[in-house]
């Protein structure tokens, strides 16, 4: 079942997203051990240090420079800018917390992102920022003091296209197989576009397709081995990240064979076997079938990719291999970094690393190794030619790739990080019919020989507690339990009396002590104890009388007493099928 999102774009608060802000000179703020306060139009900002540090901070609201205005992303509005200084002492290793509070809440399709102004690079470097539930307070942890701006950022959210999404989705030609009910979000603006269907050549294969809906790369992890896989990058089965890392001769391989790289706006298709899918589901692993993960490493890979791809004659697979291996060699730090500002710094270091001959040689060897494995029909000479075609472009990295490119992508990545993990997941669930069929199949194969179909299941009273009847439960308790005979019920033409033996103690029959007498009433068969037993059969009365407990619209069974010992007819409570 596809979960469709119905999203309503809320009006943007004008005071927050205004393109032109009125800046005023501010007096030096009073400092305190808890931090200090700076005020701006519609906002205030504070600083907090670790408890017990005794540190003081000075915060001064500042107008942006022309360079700072020009460097901000097109979809972002600078709400407030402040200079943060330490009033004596040393900056704590644990960092400090900066917080901006707005007079009006941020619109639903916006996020607030704090960013450090890198004076030397002339770029904004975003850092992870949390927005409060009332959407009026943004909080970020900073590793040092400098100038920090808070941006109102219209990211490419669900239901809101801002020019960073695909123009079309991904389609599955065949319907979902009857035994499957996959779960995924379906929205043209989601970071990942999904569809599910069946394999046209094998109805026992579930097809899952995804399309990257951002201009960044990502890691795709599958929970089980696919029967087949296809990537539009390779126009064939994709090479997994573990194989890439092995070719790159990394001392520690951080990937496994079920992880793949998907390029910006790229597609991947998988076919999964029914038996493996059901094992995943009934094994209670809780894992999604497919998980797409973005991160600074893949953001940086896409940045290099976009720069050298246009210089490489359209050889996308080789571009992907080279870009990824370049970062495996020089940017592996990006795999574990949590801060956007640290990511920009690590990316800057990776650029320096990639300009060295040692790094270029390592990437060259890795690319040649992978291409030789991927394309065994190519001679060593041709492999070198193809590899060199890309690797020659790495000499331009220092000139053509700037940190500004990755900074812009980080803004988008932080926006997407506010979305639920479910938008990046494809989960397998069996269909309801498949679940029922499995449950039926799992029932104990041992059953009462000759048990009539209408007596299958478990029967219990509706409103008055009493014994239940289940032929299988009797069989479990009495291994010799058998169905013996049936006959029309006396006085009730539509009903049937059945005889069961707990044990065949008379050879092919049983004594009364070992007998259960059961009367079955189909739907429409009424019961009136007085009319049938008193008027019809001559009993003085009915005691007890359970006529009122009979619902003639439903099938019922009554366990009759073995002997009528009293003066009056002893009626029995009806039981209804409960399972």
């Amino acid at each position: 079942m596809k979960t469709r999102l119905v999203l309503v774009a809320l009006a943007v608060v004008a005071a927050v997203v205004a393109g032109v802000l009125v800046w005023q000179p501010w007096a030096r703020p009073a400092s305190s051990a808890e931090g200090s306060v700076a005020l701006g139009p519609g906002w205030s900002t504070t600083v907090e240090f670790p408890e017990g540090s005794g540190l003081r901070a000075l915060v001064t609201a500042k107008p942006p420079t022309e360079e700072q205005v020009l460097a901000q992303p097109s979809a972002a509005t600078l709400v407030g800018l402040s200079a943060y200084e330490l009033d004596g002492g040393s900056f704590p290793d644990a960092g400090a917390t900066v917080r901006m509070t707005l007079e009006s809440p941020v619109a639903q399709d916006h996020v607030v992102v704090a960013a450090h102004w890198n004076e030397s690079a002339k770029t904004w470097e975003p850092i992870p920022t949390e927005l409060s539930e009332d959407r009026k307070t943004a909080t970020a942890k900073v590793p040092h003091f400098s100038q920090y701006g808070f941006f109102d950022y219209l990211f490419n959210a669900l239901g809101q296209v801002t020019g960073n999404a695909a123009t079309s989705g991904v389609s599955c030609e065949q319907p979902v197989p009857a035994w499957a009910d996959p779960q995924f979000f379906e929205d043209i603006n989601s970071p990942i576009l999904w569809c599910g269907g069946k394999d046209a050549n094998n109805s026992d294969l579930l097809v899952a397709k995804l399309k990257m809906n951002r201009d960044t790369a990502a890691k795709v992890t599958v929970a089980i081995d696919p029967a087949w896989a296809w990537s539009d990058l390779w126009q064939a089965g994709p090479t997994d990240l573990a194989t890439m890392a092995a070719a790159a001769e990394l001392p520690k391989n951080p990937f496994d064979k079920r992880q793949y790289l998907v390029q910006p706006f790229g597609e991947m298709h998988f076919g999964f076997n029914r038996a493996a899918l059901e094992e995943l589901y009934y094994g209670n692993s809780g894992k999604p079938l497919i998980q797409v993960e973005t991160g600074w490493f893949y953001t940086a890979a896409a940045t290099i990719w976009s720069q050298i791809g246009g210089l490489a004659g359209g050889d996308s697979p080789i571009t992907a291999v080279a870009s990824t291996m370049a970062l495996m060699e020089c940017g592996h730090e990006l795999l574990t970094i949590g801060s956007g500002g640290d990511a920009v710094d690590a990316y800057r270091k990776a650029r320096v690393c990639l300009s060295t001959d040692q790094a270029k040689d390592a990437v060259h060897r890795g690319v040649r190794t992978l291409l030789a494995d991927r394309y065994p029909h190519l001679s060593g000479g041709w492999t070198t030619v193809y590899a060199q075609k890309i690797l020659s472009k790495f000499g331009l990295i220092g000139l053509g790739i700037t940190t500004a490119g990755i900074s812009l992508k980080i803004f988008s990545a932080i926006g997407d990080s506010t979305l639920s993990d479910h938008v990046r997941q494809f989960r397998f669930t069996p269909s309801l019919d498949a679940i029922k069929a499995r449950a039926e199949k799992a029932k104990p194969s041992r059953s009462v020989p000759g048990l009539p179909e209408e007596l299958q299941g478990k029967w219990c009273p509706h409103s008055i507690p009493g014994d239940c009847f289940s032929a299988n439960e009797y069989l479990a308790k009495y291994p010799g339990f058998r169905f013996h005979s049936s006959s029309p019920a006396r006085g009730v033409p539509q009903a049937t009396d059945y005889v069961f033996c707990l044990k065949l103690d008379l050879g092919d029959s049983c004594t009364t002590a070992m007998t259960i007498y059961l009367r079955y009433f189909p739907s429409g068969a009424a019961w009136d104890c007085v009319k049938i037993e008193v008027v019809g059969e001559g009993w003085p009365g009915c005691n007890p009388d359970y006529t009122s407990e009979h619902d003639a619209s439903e099938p019922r069974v009554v366990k009759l007493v073995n002997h009528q010992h009293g003066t009056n007819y002893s009626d029995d409570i009806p039981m209804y099928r409960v399972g």
Side-chain angles (χ1 to χ4, degrees):
M1 175 182 64
K2 304 171 212 171
T3 306
R4 298 182 178 271
L5 305 179
V6 180
L7 299 128
V8 179
L10 301 181
V12 179
V13 180
V16 178
V17 300
V20 179
L21 298 177
V22 179
W23 296 91
Q24 304 175 24
W26 308 104
R28 176 186 175 91
S31 64
S32 70
E34 292 300 320
S36 59
V37 179
L39 300 175
W43 59 269
S44 64
T45 182
T46 60
V47 178
E48 292 181 4
F49 292 105
E51 186 176 357
S53 66
L55 294 171
R56 298 172 181 270
L58 299 175
V59 186
T60 307
K62 298 179 68 65
T65 66
E66 184 178 353
E67 287 178 329
Q68 289 171 331
V69 173
L70 292 174
Q72 72 185 43
S74 59
T77 299
L78 181 61
V79 178
L81 171 65
S82 299
Y84 298 80
E85 302 175 69
L86 198 61
D87 190 10
S90 300
F91 196 85
D93 292 338
T97 299
V98 295
R99 183 173 288 110
M100 171 174 277
T101 301
L102 305 169
E103 291 180 356
S104 301
V106 178
Q108 289 293 330
D109 50 356
H110 290 229
V111 293
V112 175
V113 178
H116 161 247
W117 173 249
N118 187 316
E119 181 62 34
S120 60
K122 306 299 182 186
T123 59
W124 290 106
E125 298 178 348
I127 57 178
T129 310
E130 293 185 2
L131 188 61
S132 61
E133 288 188 10
D134 64 4
R135 306 187 67 78
K136 294 172 68 175
T137 301
T139 304
K141 192 168 185 179
V142 300
H144 55 77
F145 273 166
S146 177
Q147 289 189 37
Y148 287 91
F150 283 82
F151 290 83
D152 180 306
Y153 182 61
L154 175 61
F155 72 101
N156 189 27
L158 299 176
Q160 183 66 43
V161 179
T162 62
N164 187 32
T167 55
S168 61
V170 60
S171 61
C172 292
E173 294 75 20
Q174 300 292 324
V176 172
W179 47 267
D181 185 17
Q183 308 290 312
F184 55 88
F185 277 103
E186 185 180 53
D187 188 286
I188 190 62
N189 302 299
S190 176
I192 314 298
L193 305 179
W194 303 97
C195 79
K198 66 179 179 181
D199 189 300
N201 300 312
N202 187 342
S203 60
D204 276 339
L205 290 182
L206 171 68
V207 173
K209 297 183 181 181
L210 67 92
K211 183 173 184 177
M212 193 67 193
N213 202 23
R214 297 290 187 267
D215 60 348
T216 187
K219 177 177 70 176
V220 177
T221 302
V222 295
I224 58 177
D225 293 328
W228 56 261
W230 180 88
S231 162
D232 67 342
L233 172 67
W234 298 96
Q235 292 296 308
T239 295
D240 61 83
L241 283 166
T243 299
M244 287 190 188
E249 302 175 356
L250 295 183
K252 184 178 180 180
N253 194 330
F255 305 106
D256 66 41
K257 300 290 265 183
R258 291 177 178 169
Q259 295 177 333
Y260 307 91
L261 183 76
V262 61
Q263 77 277 21
F265 303 113
E267 280 192 37
M268 296 193 75
H269 304 173
F270 298 95
F272 295 100
N273 183 272
R274 177 179 182 177
L277 287 169
E278 291 179 343
E279 183 177 347
L280 172 69
Y281 177 80
Y282 291 108
N284 297 316
S285 70
K287 295 180 181 178
L289 176 59
I290 305 175
Q291 174 78 53
V292 179
E293 298 174 61
T294 54
W296 309 133
F297 181 89
Y298 308 102
T299 300
T303 304
I304 295 178
W305 193 332
S306 63
Q307 292 290 327
I308 68 174
L311 306 172
D315 291 316
S316 287
I318 305 175
T319 305
V321 170
S323 303
T324 307
M325 285 192 169
L327 282 178
M328 287 179 176
E329 178 66 29
C330 289
H332 48 82
E333 181 182 351
L334 288 160
L335 283 168
T336 55
I337 278 177
S339 163
D342 290 343
V344 174
D345 187 57
Y347 180 64
R348 189 179 295 113
K349 293 176 183 176
R351 286 172 50 211
V352 173
C353 169
L354 287 171
S355 66
T356 66
D357 290 337
Q358 180 181 356
K360 291 177 183 177
D361 288 344
V363 175
H364 187 218
R365 289 195 305 273
V367 172
R368 290 187 75 251
T369 299
L370 187 62
L371 292 179
D373 178 68
R374 177 84 195 192
Y375 305 110
H377 60 283
L378 292 178
S379 66
W382 277 112
T383 300
T384 299
V385 168
Y386 278 109
Q388 193 61 39
K389 188 175 184 180
I390 290 290
L391 296 170
S392 63
K393 311 305 178 185
F394 279 85
L396 301 175
I397 284 179
L399 300 174
I401 303 177
T402 67
T403 56
I406 194 172
S407 293
L408 295 178
K409 292 180 186 294
I410 287 174
F411 270 95
S412 181
I414 290 176
D416 278 340
S417 69
T418 64
L419 300 175
S420 167
D421 285 340
H422 295 300
V423 303
R424 289 173 282 270
Q425 296 175 348
F426 185 106
R427 289 182 173 273
F428 169 74
T429 303
S431 67
L432 182 59
D433 286 344
I435 292 174
K436 288 180 177 179
R438 179 185 174 92
E440 190 67 31
K441 188 176 180 180
K443 288 182 178 179
S445 57
R446 191 164 179 254
S447 60
V448 178
L451 180 68
E453 181 68 24
E454 59 267 26
L455 298 181
Q456 299 283 350
K458 187 172 184 176
W459 304 74
C460 295
H462 263 349
S463 58
I464 302 175
D467 291 336
C468 295
F469 174 81
S470 167
N472 284 339
E473 289 181 6
Y474 270 101
L475 181 62
K477 187 175 181 179
Y478 302 94
F481 185 75
R482 293 291 185 272
F483 166 72
H484 183 267
S485 60
S486 65
S487 60
R490 176 179 48 81
V492 190
Q494 293 175 282
T496 304
D497 287 342
Y498 295 94
V499 178
F500 292 86
C501 290
L502 298 177
K503 177 182 178 183
L504 295 174
D505 57 348
L506 295 178
D508 60 352
S509 62
C510 50
T511 60
T512 301
M514 291 287 107
T515 301
I516 289 179
Y517 298 96
L518 203 69
R519 178 167 291 172
Y520 172 75
F521 293 81
S523 298
W527 170 254
D528 186 327
C529 187
V530 172
K531 180 179 179 181
I532 296 172
E533 297 297 343
V534 176
V535 176
E537 297 296 329
W539 287 90
C542 292
N543 186 19
D545 184 348
Y546 291 113
T547 299
S548 63
E549 290 295 316
H550 280 258
D551 182 353
S553 68
E554 293 184 56
R556 291 140 288 145
V557 295
V558 170
K559 190 158 61 172
L560 305 174
V561 297
N562 287 24
H563 294 284
Q564 292 284 347
H565 296 290
T567 303
N568 295 308
Y569 180 84
S570 181
D571 198 8
D572 290 277
I573 189 167
M575 296 178 282
Y576 298 82
R577 183 180 281 116
V578 296

